[in-house]
Amino acid sequence: MLHQETLLSKVGNTAAYTTDDWTADIQLAQKAGIDAFALNIAAKTDYNKSQLANAYTAAENFGFKLFLSFDYAAQGPWDSSTVISMLQDHVNSPAQFKVDNRSFVSTFEGPNNSGDWVAIREAVPIFFLPDWTSVGPDTFRASKLELVDGAFSWDAWPQGATDKTDDSDKAWKDAVGSKSYMMPISPWFYTNLPEYQKNWLWRGDDMWHNRWQQVLEIQPTFVEILTWNDYGESHYIGPIKDQGVPSGAHKYVDNMPHDHWRDLLPYYTAAYKNGQAPTITEDKSHIWFRLTPAAAGNNGGTAGNAPYQPYVDPNVVVQDKVFFTALLKDSADVFVYIGDNSADTFHQDGAGVLHGSVPFNGRTGKVKLDVLRNGESVLSVVSEVEIAASPADGLTNYNAWVGGSG
């Protein structure tokens, strides 16, 4: 079975990118064990052509792969002739991600235009895994399966005050049968962009760790990480680039880096691709948390769940905790401190991955994680920011701050 790791990059957030910007992102992705970028492109966008040219040039120089993901929701459906033209532009590029010598292609929604893909497939040899999640796995199997080579699910986040399970992944994998399933994985979700009619959150919390365990259980053909640079929805794992942050999102994205969510990716991706966990040769850890208790500030009108789902109090959905994952090469004790308070302690027997969380419980200050082995400190992570009793501007930021050992 082919196992590939892909990552969604929103071309809409790269309007000001140069080839050097794409090169920098590609090098970071390669270091993390990522095989390809899915380039999300909206219809009727004048810089698509130039930015795709920049991306493919950079990828060709570094042996990286790319594929197009046509967004049918952002600015309406794509014209099939334009899709054909854009695919033909890159079909011969050495950077084009291919399966069975066919260009890999995906979408964000667009099931009402599913019939267009008959002509598209006749014009360009493609390996087609669309995201038509809105129709559900049963309808997909009954009416769409013959049009595709598999499915990509966008069901990456849980509803309400619950953790994400793999039930939807199992349903989609069953729906495609012997065809390919691309499983989504995401660390977080929070958006507060009323100008785009978007102001809700879904639970992240333990999800970055838990979903990787589910990937190893499900063993999908492909995994797509959501996302590299969608700052407006707070699930970016790439570096924050100011020119790509929507104007309304600066209030919750600025100074909230997520880069250290990539620290353990080489381990996770190797375990997924090889079917077994690699030998751990170096201790590593990362930590993530929100900067205040959720209920300590105004929620800014943010809802728990999307508008098409039942409303839940956002302060019930999220948990006031520090989350951590430690990659340990041998038995060790992990101490997590919030401010000058006593530590919460955890123990790992033998080499492995230790994941845990520590409740705020009224504690404030910087977060510190110490790994001790045989009484000696072998790793320490100290946050650059503090957990405060309440937000300085009175508005709760539901985004996460992420730190780590590198």
Side-chain angles (χ1 to χ4, degrees):
M1 178 183 289
L2 176 69
H3 282 79
Q4 294 284 336
E5 190 81 35
T6 70
L7 199 152
L8 184 73
S9 179
K10 284 177 67 84
V11 175
N13 288 345
T14 67
Y17 261 38
T18 65
T19 302
D20 288 342
D21 290 312
W22 283 107
T23 296
D25 281 358
I26 285 167
Q27 289 178 308
L28 289 174
Q30 286 179 314
K31 183 179 178 182
I34 303 300
D35 299 302
F37 276 159
L39 301 177
N40 173 271
I41 47 177
K44 310 177 187 71
T45 304
D46 56 10
Y47 51 80
N48 276 339
K49 196 174 185 71
S50 61
Q51 282 304 332
L52 291 180
N54 287 340
Y56 273 88
T57 296
E60 288 168 4
N61 291 335
F62 286 89
F64 194 64
K65 300 300 181 184
L66 305 171
F67 66 91
L68 303 186
S69 178
F70 293 90
D71 192 326
Y72 280 71
Q75 298 189 58
W78 281 84
D79 176 76
S80 58
S81 62
T82 305
V83 172
I84 291 170
S85 175
M86 297 190 76
L87 290 172
Q88 289 174 334
D89 283 345
H90 304 289
V91 66
N92 293 319
S93 169
Q96 177 60 51
F97 181 35
K98 293 184 176 182
V99 176
D100 298 333
N101 205 34
R102 293 179 286 158
S103 296
F104 193 103
V105 182
S106 190
T107 72
F108 178 69
E109 285 302 327
N112 292 336
N113 298 84
S114 59
D116 293 354
W117 290 92
V118 175
I120 296 169
R121 299 193 71 148
E122 290 175 351
V124 187
I126 62 172
F127 189 87
F128 187 41
L129 265 73
D131 154 41
W132 292 337
T133 309
S134 60
V135 304
D138 292 337
T139 298
F140 185 92
R141 172 169 41 202
S143 63
K144 308 293 184 185
L145 190 57
E146 64 181 12
L147 302 170
V148 303
D149 297 289
F152 168 41
S153 166
W154 199 261
D155 191 355
W157 302 276
Q159 288 191 39
T162 60
D163 293 330
K164 175 64 180 167
T165 71
D166 59 6
D167 290 347
S168 63
D169 302 295
K170 291 175 179 175
W172 277 102
K173 191 176 181 184
D174 181 66
V176 300
S178 61
K179 295 187 176 184
S180 296
Y181 174 55
M182 185 154 67
M183 180 172 169
I185 179 171
S186 186
W188 210 258
F189 192 104
Y190 166 55
T191 182
N192 189 344
L193 295 171
E195 57 268 46
Y196 297 103
Q197 293 77 52
K198 296 173 65 174
N199 191 359
W200 76 88
L201 59 80
W202 285 310
R203 175 177 286 184
D205 295 355
D206 298 283
M207 189 164 61
W208 189 234
H209 169 77
N210 290 349
R211 284 295 276 170
W212 282 110
Q213 311 316 304
Q214 292 167 8
V215 164
L216 299 180
E217 174 67 24
I218 295 290
Q219 286 292 301
T221 317
F222 306 96
V223 170
E224 184 164 309
I225 298 171
L226 306 175
T227 60
W228 182 259
N229 64 346
D230 194 335
Y231 308 110
E233 295 183 353
S234 304
H235 43 64
Y236 51 95
I237 68 166
I240 297 172
K241 298 199 174 182
D242 187 71
Q243 71 268 38
V245 180
S247 59
H250 284 283
K251 61 182 178 288
Y252 57 90
V253 172
D254 289 354
N255 302 311
M256 299 293 278
H258 291 178
D259 301 79
H260 284 288
W261 265 329
R262 301 193 307 270
D263 287 354
L264 272 58
L265 273 182
Y267 175 85
Y268 289 134
T269 57
Y272 160 62
K273 294 173 188 177
N274 300 324
Q276 60 181 15
T279 301
I280 301 171
T281 59
E282 180 185 6
D283 296 309
K284 289 187 176 185
S285 184
H286 54 191
I287 56 176
W288 61 97
F289 52 91
R290 288 176 293 98
L291 301 185
T292 68
N298 187 299
N299 67 21
T302 298
N305 288 341
Y308 54 84
Q309 298 169 328
Y311 174 86
V312 179
D313 183 342
N315 299 335
V316 174
V317 173
V318 300
Q319 300 175 89
D320 293 335
K321 294 181 177 181
V322 174
F323 303 91
F324 75 90
T325 306
L327 196 64
L328 303 172
K329 64 181 182 180
D330 204 347
S331 299
D333 296 299
V334 174
F335 296 77
V336 181
Y337 301 84
I338 300 176
D340 296 327
N341 300 283
S342 59
D344 288 48
T345 61
F346 304 81
H347 179 75
Q348 169 73 22
D349 283 323
V353 179
L354 177 64
H355 176 75
S357 62
V358 173
F360 290 0
N361 283 353
R363 294 175 288 186
T364 60
K366 289 189 174 183
V367 175
K368 180 180 180 181
L369 179 146
D370 274 336
V371 177
L372 272 64
R373 183 171 293 119
N374 300 321
E376 298 290 331
S377 177
V378 295
L379 179 70
S380 185
V381 177
V382 181
S383 69
E384 299 169 2
V385 295
E386 296 186 356
I387 295 172
S390 61
D393 64 357
L395 183 68
T396 294
N397 184 351
Y398 292 99
N399 195 5
W401 184 92
V402 186
S405 58

